[in-house]
Amino acid sequence: MLKPDYLRETPSQTAGPYVHIGLAPGAAGFDIYDRELGWDIAGPNAKGERIRVEGLVIDGTGSPIKDVMLEAWQANAAGHYAHPEGGGPVEDGFRGWGRVITDFETGEWAFETVKPGAAKGRSGLLMAPHISLWVVARGINIGLNTRMYFDDETEANAADPVLNLIEWENRRPTLIARRREGDGQAVYRFDIRIQGDDETVFFDI
Amino acid sequence: MTTPADYYQRDRGRHPRALTPDYKTSVARSPRLPLISLQQTVSEITGPVFGHDDVGPLDHDLIRNYAKDGDPIGERIIVHGRVLDEDARPVPDTLVEIWQANAGGRYRHKKDTYLAPIDPNFGGCGRTMTGADGRYAFRTVKPGAYPWRNLVNNWRPAHIHVSVFGRSFSQRLITQLYFEGDPLIALCPIVQTLPDADAIDQLTAKLDMNATIPLDTIAYRFDIVLRGRRSTMFENRPEGN
């Protein structure tokens, strides 16, 4: 499409297998920065339930992808994002953004945060609590956007305007994390499937 | 209730397709079903905010930020440019992160087994925040080409990986910067995932003799364009502002 009066967005390229060097150098095997970014999503003052989120990213052959980086973006327990247009104030230290990489041997990833609240969507409709996720890896040419919802939010999920616009109702459960009680902490399991049966819903945002 | 202004729809024809079989790893790592198109909500029009205290004073200088007992080996370069949006407006105060191989083409990564040597004085990563005018700059050494397992004899052109945030989760972008004049660009299956020559040209940093430091460091210019944004619609100004 020709857009004569505009610049054109810089094209994407894969993050490659060594994304850790730039974005999580500790995982690449060396320390360089005083502070790595994205390891503390909620900070110590955030209200709400402390949770752990974990999963795998699985490729079209059924294998865990072991060089993935995921970024998470979420509201606080009041449904506010840490951003000038985020809907309201957040606790001091609440960033709402996290970065996590997979274990090189198992492909498992996990992060700790607080469970988000419901944020206002378009036209003021409430959205069910969710965490936005962005997935990059070798072989992924442009980052994949998805959302993770919570299986103990049955009513809110049923009314969620984004889940409801997925016409294939049988695909909606691919966005819903399963809760279990871990060691004194709620753990949500969210496996992302790039292809195959139960391919996760990805969004063009 | 006002709906916050959306970012322009991403022109997917400008980006690589998900499935690009000549780049073999994409075959099993590309969704088969269509993406679901989502009108942006507060979750997409917001994104992480970084401050200048998130980055250290040497983080943008890859020649010094990992030096132990001397300078890194290699051709000293400056990479600089502006982060703009599709409306050509500067994107200030946004985080730009880079990573790269050393001058021999070897990454400081425990999974990289290429036989070129590790450089004891080179880490290979840097980060900076753009200024009020969207400008950024890094100092580094030019990365070397290296072989990779795709076809038996594939070599990546010299490149620097670039990660940029913008102001919203919908602007998030990771890409790669190539260097003007490199004959390997035309042969690289990852570069060739791009749909046309113009897209490749946009990822090719241009030699910038005016920004060089004579007898010291050569310079390349690389501007980054993020998605633009609609104006908020006001009832008395339907044409926008």
Side-chain angles (χ1 to χ4, degrees):
Chain A
M1 184 177 60
L2 188 64
K3 295 197 289 185
D5 293 335
Y6 297 89
L7 302 178
R8 305 185 75 185
E9 188 189 8
T10 296
S12 172
Q13 292 272 266
T14 177
Y18 302 134
V19 62
H20 321 90
I21 291 178
L23 308 185
F30 67 107
D31 291 319
I32 182 164
Y33 296 136
D34 291 341
R35 173 194 311 192
E36 289 205 13
L37 298 173
W39 57 272
D40 188 8
I41 301 177
N45 304 315
K47 299 185 177 70
E49 186 184 17
R50 297 271 156 180
I51 62 170
R52 174 182 162 94
V53 179
E54 63 176 27
L56 289 169
V57 181
I58 298 162
D59 73 14
T61 75
S63 308
I65 302 181
K66 297 173 182 174
D67 50 16
V68 165
M69 185 198 75
L70 293 109
E71 286 184 354
W73 176 239
Q74 67 164 90
N76 72 358
H80 301 159
Y81 284 92
H83 185 275
E85 297 175 85
V90 298
E91 298 88 346
D92 188 34
F94 179 86
R95 194 153 224 180
W97 172 75
R99 180 179 267 177
V100 64
I101 58 124
T102 50
D103 183 282
F104 293 151
E105 305 302 321
T106 65
E108 289 276 348
W109 54 268
F111 58 83
E112 302 204 350
T113 184
V114 296
K115 193 174 172 190
K120 270 188 192 163
R122 295 181 74 87
S123 311
L125 290 173
L126 269 190
M127 296 189 284
H130 65 275
I131 298 177
S132 298
L133 294 169
W134 189 65
V135 184
V136 296
R138 176 172 65 105
I140 295 178
N141 287 327
I142 180 167
L144 297 169
N145 288 96
T146 188
R147 283 185 173 200
M148 187 198 102
Y149 288 83
F150 298 86
D151 72 344
D152 52 343
E153 297 284 347
T154 315
E155 276 182 43
N157 289 344
D160 181 77
V162 172
L163 285 173
N164 281 322
L165 70 79
I166 302 168
E167 195 176 341
W168 305 290
E169 291 183 35
N170 59 325
R171 297 194 66 203
R172 295 178 193 167
T174 68
L175 299 186
I176 297 177
R178 313 279 165 210
R179 180 181 177 116
R180 69 165 198 274
E181 300 305 321
D183 296 329
Q185 186 183 39
V187 179
Y188 288 91
R189 179 83 192 177
F190 189 64
D191 291 334
I192 296 170
R193 290 181 171 75
I194 304 285
Q195 295 173 7
D197 294 342
D198 301 323
E199 178 179 314
T200 299
V201 168
F202 298 104
F203 293 102
D204 184 8
I205 61 172
Chain B
M1 168 88 196
T2 312
T3 299
D6 298 342
Y7 287 81
Y8 300 146
Q9 177 186 312
R10 177 164 265 158
D11 180 357
R12 295 252 166 202
R14 182 69 171 169
H15 293 280
R17 300 293 177 198
L19 175 61
T20 49
D22 289 343
Y23 172 29
K24 291 179 183 176
T25 319
S26 76
V27 173
R29 296 186 174 191
S30 45
R32 286 291 176 269
L33 297 171
L35 304 179
I36 304 285
S37 299
L38 184 60
Q39 275 188 294
Q40 292 154 20
T41 72
V42 66
S43 307
E44 290 78 35
I45 62 111
T46 59
V49 176
F50 298 96
H52 288 261
D53 55 353
D54 281 322
V55 299
L58 281 182
D59 287 359
H60 70 288
D61 187 351
L62 285 71
I63 289 180
R64 289 169 68 202
N65 70 8
Y66 198 76
K68 304 293 185 225
D69 55 7
D71 285 343
I73 299 294
E75 181 182 351
R76 297 155 65 85
I77 64 170
I78 289 165
V79 171
H80 77 110
R82 289 207 293 165
V83 181
L84 304 167
D85 69 15
E86 289 173 294
D87 301 300
R89 288 187 277 230
V91 182
D93 302 318
T94 196
L95 180 67
V96 182
E97 297 163 286
I98 63 169
W99 68 99
Q100 62 169 92
N102 67 25
R106 172 84 178 263
Y107 285 96
R108 182 175 289 280
H109 192 290
K110 52 184 157 190
K111 305 291 268 190
D112 189 355
T113 57
Y114 180 40
L115 48 73
I118 293 279
D119 184 334
N121 293 308
F122 191 69
C125 64
R127 59 190 185 185
T128 193
M129 301 279 296
T130 57
D133 51 2
R135 287 191 187 277
Y136 75 92
F138 292 98
R139 191 167 75 140
T140 183
V141 295
K142 192 172 180 187
Y146 58 85
W148 60 298
R149 293 177 189 280
N150 186 62
L151 303 184
V152 172
N153 190 20
N154 277 148
W155 293 73
R156 292 301 328 274
H159 64 279
I160 297 176
H161 295 266
V162 180
S163 167
V164 60
F165 281 81
R167 295 194 185 88
S168 79
F169 212 55
S170 63
Q171 286 180 307
R172 188 78 180 85
L173 183 73
I174 284 181
T175 188
Q176 300 183 32
L177 169 166
Y178 304 100
F179 292 91
E180 183 175 14
D182 187 338
L184 289 171
I185 292 173
L187 304 178
C188 175
I190 290 178
V191 175
Q192 299 304 325
T193 62
L194 292 163
D196 57 48
D198 182 62
I200 295 171
D201 185 64
Q202 197 175 356
L203 293 190
T204 306
K206 304 300 185 292
L207 185 63
D208 181 355
M209 290 305 288
N210 285 356
T212 61
I213 303 171
L215 305 178
D216 184 323
T217 308
I218 202 163
Y220 288 87
R221 171 82 184 236
F222 186 68
D223 290 338
I224 300 164
V225 181
L226 301 179
R227 295 166 70 177
R229 191 176 191 186
R230 296 183 204 294
S231 298
T232 304
M233 208 277 279
F234 294 99
E235 286 180 16
N236 58 343
R237 269 184 291 145
E239 76 283 9
N241 53 8

